[in-house]
Amino acid sequence: MPDFEYKIDKSEVLRYLGHRGQALTPELMALIDEISEKCLESARPRYCFQIFPLDTTSPSPALAGTGVTLLGEDIKKHLAGASSVAVMAATLGFEVERAMMRLSQRSATAEVIFNAACTALIEAVSDRCEGEIVETARRRGLVTSYRYSPGYGDFPLEQQPEILGVLDAGTRLGITLTDSMLMLPKKSVSALIGLYPEGLGVRRGGSSCETCENRENCEFRKEGYGCNG
Amino acid sequence: MGEFTLFDGGMGTELQKRGLKAGALPELLNLTEPEIVRDVHKAYVEAGADVITANTFGANSKKLGDAGTVEKVVSAGIRLVREAGAKKAALDIGPIGALLAPMGTMSFDEAYSIFREVVRAGVKAGADLVIIETMSDLLEAKAALLAVKENSDLPAYVTMTFMADGRTFLGTSPAVAAATLSALGADAVGINCSLGPEETEPFIAEVLRWATVPVIVQPNAGLPDGSSGETVYHVTPEEFARSVGRMLDMGVTVAGGCCGTTPEHIRLLRREMDARRPVEREIPRRTVLTSSQRLVCLDNSIAVIGERINPTGKKKIKAALRSGSFDYILNEAISQEEAGADLLDVNAGLPEIDEPATLRRLVTSLQAVTPLPLQIDSSDPEALDAACRVYSGKPVINSVNGKEESLSAILPIAKKYGAAVVGLTLDENGIPDKAEERLKIAEKIIKRAGEYGIPREDVLIDCLTLTVSTNQALAVETLEAVELVTRNLGVKTVLGVSNISFGLPAREVINAAFLSAAFAKGLTMPILNPMSRRYMDAVAAWRVLSGEDGNARRFIESYVNLPTDPAPSNEPAGQIDITQIVLSGRKLLIEDAVRAALRERGPMEVINGLLIPAINAAGDKFERGEFFLPQLMASAETVKLGFDVIRDGAKSGEVASKGKILLATVKGDIHDIGKNIVKMLLSNYGYEILDLGRDVPPELIVETTLREHIRLVGLSALMTTTVKAMADTIKLLHEAGAACKIMVGGAVLTPEYAALVGADYYARDAQESARIAAEVFGG
């Protein structure tokens, strides 16, 4: 993967921390900067993707040539009209996990901020991967939708092994799964992005918390401090 | 070093060419389409490979699931290799695909038994050797290697896979992998997959530097390129053979190919092998200790062993070991590392606890928070075995001595786990006074270790420090013994220094002088308290004097701007309102402010009258949205520092704990931020928190609840898939008749869900947990 200097957007970190305009002390701002820096230092961001033609001859869409059928109504809706689908995975690696376990012994405040900084960073890494997918699609004269992950809506989390399997994400990125389908390193993302012919009116961006299909699996909601504010 | 051995090349990529679908289990082809697998093997036999790797990489129960039994897939796999006419058949063992604790949730024993099943099937099918490959986790590689060694007589080759930055996914370097796996008894160690031969070369140089066994390489045909949408490999057979040929000239004797390599790559590599002879490698004989993250080599350098993780005379460590809530110990580990320790001694010896289980769990927990190699310290062989087994790296065992009983109990453990071992110069007759007598015991220990196959560089002699105030002549004898052992036996020495000053005032003065004298006699590994500035000054100074610290660079860096006493704060703390300090989260001011308050009031009055109102004020601000989470937490941490000042200064019984609360993230779940926030907040209301960590088995929660008479248990689960473990834990608590209330939290929970799993309370957030605790404890 080419060298690329990632940055952590402070306003994103604050958003993940549930900041809603409260007065910020210089000490807290400095702490956030310091911890974001630590996060960038320890992270080993990696991603990969592969584009598969979408096989829609059966009732459920399938990744052609893989034997993977995508289950549930929501992913079917999401991919309606798509000609192919990009499968992507991204991770920050295990170093941030180690750094966070160590930090958690020292200061829970630092731990919480570090976690938010990591979340901002894995989003940036996923965005970069998505950017490459968008570019690849553009060259093929296609447009893309947004990232859709196992666990969203009725797209079962139990498909996670198959999704990571087609990418060989274990060998390529070091992503493993627990029995409860949790990806390790925790700061990892797996997602599908549909590639569509132009003119279908494909929705790009995500959505607000209320309409988000990821309500129940959203990392920020899990940690107990909101998402979009 | 004998002959070269040529392995075959890529299997997965060859199968894909023949129609294997991405993501499908290639091992099932052994049963469903054996002719395809046999064809690939045949092509590699024809290309000249000596060893053909059976198609069993993922043939473990975890990956196969219900799709096929391990025994069937493995025996078909080995049979197909035979049918292809191979000279030798290798049972292939890849990673399980699930991560071991502490980073993951799989236990060492579970990983071991998964590998054991594969090994037994391989033995039954008649495999000639085992190749353990593409490993990222040193501990998983160790589990697989032990499974081979303890369940077969087959040679085991082990390769790990590295990223372009020279680390595995879990942060292990080629040097650490080579040193650790050699010590564990692998028959060859090396590198496979991920990188092409060019990129692998500098890392194989590292392996050659640290391995004490033959070295193996199996690179990919270049880095995978997915730019076209499909994964392709670009290194041609000619380039591949040339590059691997260079590694043969460096000392590699076993080679083959991984992803993207073809029979043609292997055919050309055969030619390279046939055109040369293996080079004689000089096998390094150095004392090396490792963790999965770090290598400590004692060639021309000293290493400080931190002594603080030991319950002797330490109330807080005793309490932590008894309760199983290790936070205090983990913090001690980090503090010692920050103070400059190179290794940490770990002792969990308390008569009333299950030492093997405790030491084992402690070693696992420590490895999550510190990269330092560990010295595992116990007089119980069973505890040493349990802890060495789950240790990821090459540890030191502390200790064996010259008594026959000790030698025959401890040395086999050191051998089995490739550990170095501290040998104490005492025997059936006690500690000899004379240095020459201690030298004799040292000689005996080294000789006996050699008989067990432990090389002398892995024996570290402790000449034993005796108290100078009881027998003044013996201090010099100990120093003399260090010199004799170093000079005559050529081994490294260990010495605990603090004993020397027992019974004297200003002990650090004596200890530091003794330490410097011992360094001059050749001491390599002092065991001391690295938090003592005076000792670490002596260490830093000796590193300059001995030449280890070249050009005194490190010394100058640390000492040129040595801070003098801190400048007095401009803001006299006593005059600032404690509530203001807490609300602004100014940790630097709170300790002085609390000390000032303690001059005027009693400790309980400071807690109930100042600290708790302050944290309540922060909580109110959070409720009203005037604070967001980090602000609440900074306030909570400030209060906690204040509490620590009061507790440390109080006489026992003066500051009563309001009650014990047990917290844990349930089995299978490793999200612990929410739980840690709750812990932080609750500890500020005067409760004693026992935190068992994450991925905690229900049995441990029940056992601790009963033993510690816990009245409130807080369980956290953050995934829908782990709420089941929460329900199981609660059920088990009820069945055991635990007289406790149970509160649960975690984003997937709702009040209804909480009731459904049998909890007494649902804690929406950390503030709510404090209200629940107040209700339960009537505070």
Side-chain angles (χ1 to χ4, degrees), chain B residues 6 31 106 154 159 164 183 186 282 356 364 368 374 389 420 444 478 490 509 512 535 586 639 652 723 779:
Chain B
L6 180 61
L31 305 175
M106 180 178 281
L154 301 180
T159 56
E282 201 179 316
T364 300
L374 301 181
R389 198 166 177 83
K444 175 182 163 190
T478 297
V509 176
Y535 304 158
R586 295 163 88 176
V639 169
S652 89
V723 173

Side-chain angles (χ1 to χ4, degrees), chain B residues 144-341:
Chain B
L145 181 53
L146 287 174
V148 176
K149 293 181 69 75
E150 293 172 359
N151 297 283
S152 80
D153 299 319
L154 301 180
Y157 297 5
V158 190
T159 56
M160 296 191 74
T161 193
F162 299 87
M163 301 294 100
D165 60 5
R167 291 281 186 279
T168 69
F169 287 126
L170 277 110
T172 294
S173 69
V176 164
T180 310
L181 296 166
S182 295
L184 271 166
D187 294 276
V189 298
I191 299 177
N192 79 310
C193 206
S194 298
L195 304 170
E198 294 274 340
E199 298 84 11
T200 302
E201 195 179 307
F203 304 144
I204 228 38
E206 279 297 291
V207 172
L208 285 162
R209 206 170 143 218
W210 296 100
T212 58
V213 295
V215 171
I216 169 173
V217 71
Q218 297 194 300
N220 284 353
L223 296 165
D225 175 6
S227 59
S228 62
E230 277 182 37
T231 308
V232 285
Y233 298 88
H234 297 300
V235 174
T236 63
E238 291 76 17
E239 291 164 335
F240 182 83
R242 213 168 27 243
S243 298
V244 176
R246 267 202 308 278
M247 289 189 262
L248 299 179
D249 292 337
M250 291 162 65
V252 169
T253 50
V254 187
C258 203
C259 306
T261 58
T262 65
E264 185 59 10
H265 289 78
I266 296 305
R267 198 177 64 80
L268 296 189
L269 184 53
R270 176 84 267 167
R271 273 203 223 157
E272 297 287 332
M273 281 189 173
D274 291 345
R276 33 164 86 67
R277 300 286 315 148
V279 297
E280 283 295 321
R281 251 175 81 218
E282 201 179 316
I283 300 297
R285 287 292 163 207
R286 289 175 293 218
T287 304
V288 175
L289 308 162
T290 65
S291 70
S292 68
Q293 309 294 304
R294 198 166 287 188
L295 181 145
V296 171
C297 173
L298 295 172
D299 255 6
N300 307 315
S301 67
I302 55 174
V304 170
I305 304 174
E307 70 177 13
R308 293 193 51 83
I309 304 176
N310 189 320
T312 312
K314 298 194 191 79
K315 235 170 58 184
K316 285 183 181 170
I317 293 199
K318 278 186 188 151
L321 290 174
R322 278 195 200 109
S323 70
S325 173
F326 292 151
D327 282 349
Y328 178 77
I329 300 178
L330 302 183
N331 265 297
E332 284 285 294
I334 297 170
S335 299
Q336 291 185 89
E337 180 195 333
E338 287 172 352

Side-chain angles (χ1 to χ4, degrees), chain B residues 129 134 221 274 313 340 352 384 424 461 592-594 637 702 710 764:
Chain B
L129 62 111
T134 324
D274 291 345
E352 67 273 27
L384 289 173
L424 310 182
I461 296 297
D592 283 345
V594 167
E637 280 182 3
V702 171
I710 303 287
R764 181 172 50 87

Side-chain angles (χ1 to χ4, degrees), chain B residues 368-573:
Chain B
V369 299
T370 175
L372 298 187
L374 301 181
Q375 169 163 292
I376 298 168
D377 184 358
S378 174
S379 52
D380 177 1
E382 202 192 320
L384 289 173
D385 190 290
C388 285
R389 198 166 177 83
V390 300
Y391 178 74
S392 182
K394 180 181 174 190
V396 185
I397 287 177
N398 189 14
S399 57
V400 71
N401 60 52
K403 291 181 192 169
E404 195 45 51
E405 186 194 354
S406 169
L407 292 165
S408 58
I410 305 298
L411 293 176
I413 300 172
K415 174 61 189 166
K416 178 158 64 155
Y417 298 116
V421 61
V422 172
L424 310 182
T425 54
L426 64 85
D427 61 13
E428 284 80 1
N429 302 315
I431 304 171
D433 283 352
K434 289 289 160 204
E436 290 76 13
E437 297 299 314
R438 295 192 205 175
L439 174 71
K440 275 190 194 145
I441 298 176
E443 268 181 304
K444 175 182 163 190
I445 294 172
I446 294 167
K447 183 165 163 289
R448 291 300 308 278
E451 288 164 16
Y452 280 97
I454 300 166
R456 62 192 294 126
E457 61 269 19
D458 282 346
V459 182
L460 314 165
I461 296 297
D462 185 338
C463 295
L464 296 169
T465 300
L466 298 164
T467 305
V468 71
S469 58
T470 49
N471 194 338
Q472 218 164 348
L474 290 187
V476 177
E477 286 297 333
T478 297
L479 294 173
E480 181 72 23
V482 170
E483 186 171 29
L484 283 178
V485 166
T486 304
R487 199 194 315 128
N488 296 5
L489 304 179
V491 298
K492 307 296 180 190
T493 55
V494 173
L495 198 62
V497 293
S498 10
N499 251 355
I500 191 81
S501 61
F502 193 76
L504 292 173
R507 293 184 59 180
E508 286 196 338
V509 176
I510 299 281
N511 293 352
F514 184 66
L515 179 61
S516 295
F519 280 143
K521 298 290 189 185
L523 173 64
T524 27
M525 302 174 84
I527 305 181
L528 50 78
N529 175 9
M531 315 299 274
S532 158
R533 183 70 210 222
R534 214 186 265 267
Y535 304 158
M536 295 313 281
D537 282 348
V539 168
W542 179 254
R543 283 181 162 142
V544 175
L545 301 176
S546 68
E548 176 189 336
D549 184 0
N551 297 322
R553 195 177 50 82
R554 280 161 63 192
F555 185 84
I556 294 167
E557 259 171 32
S558 325
Y559 285 81
V560 70
N561 288 320
L562 195 62
T564 45
D565 290 337
S569 165
N570 292 331
E571 300 169 88

Side-chain angles (χ1 to χ4, degrees), chain A residues 14 17-19 22-24 27-28 44 46 49-52 65-67 94-95 97-98 100-102 104-113 115 140 157-158 165-166 170-174 176-182 184 186 216-217 219 221-223 225, chain B residues 21-23 62 97-99 102-105 163 165 167-171 193 228-229 231 292-293 327 330-331 334-335 337-338 367-371 587 625-631 633-634 637 668 670-673 676-677 680 694 718-719 721-722 747-748:
Chain A
L14 285 169
L17 286 170
H19 184 246
Q22 290 91 346
L24 292 165
E27 286 93 341
L28 189 57
R44 286 164 85 193
R46 273 185 288 269
F49 69 89
Q50 201 165 331
I51 296 170
F52 299 90
T66 68
F94 283 106
E95 283 68 15
E97 307 263 310
R98 281 185 192 283
M100 193 142 94
M101 282 166 97
R102 191 177 161 98
S104 74
Q105 285 302 322
R106 290 309 216 197
S107 159
T109 312
E111 181 190 8
V112 164
I113 296 172
N115 184 56
R140 297 184 186 182
L157 199 56
E158 285 66 29
V166 296
T171 309
R172 289 168 73 178
L173 305 180
T176 63
L177 279 173
T178 67
D179 287 342
S180 44
M181 296 297 145
L182 169 67
L184 297 176
K186 272 187 281 180
E216 295 311 314
N217 291 291
E219 185 73 11
R221 283 174 52 86
K222 276 182 197 171
E223 306 288 20
Y225 45 87
Chain B
K21 289 175 172 176
K62 196 94 181 169
L99 200 64
M103 305 302 284
T105 56
M163 301 294 100
D165 60 5
R167 291 281 186 279
T168 69
F169 287 126
L170 277 110
C193 206
S228 62
T231 308
S292 68
Q293 309 294 304
D327 282 349
L330 302 183
N331 265 297
I334 297 170
S335 299
E337 180 195 333
E338 287 172 352
Q367 290 203 284
V369 299
T370 175
K587 295 190 206 167
E626 291 166 34
F627 267 13
F628 72 131
L629 188 67
Q631 288 171 307
M633 295 186 64
E637 280 182 3
I670 61 169
H671 291 89
D672 52 3
I673 293 189
N676 291 346
I677 296 171
M680 178 83 248
R694 51 192 217 178
L718 287 179
M719 303 186 70
T721 43
T722 52
V748 293

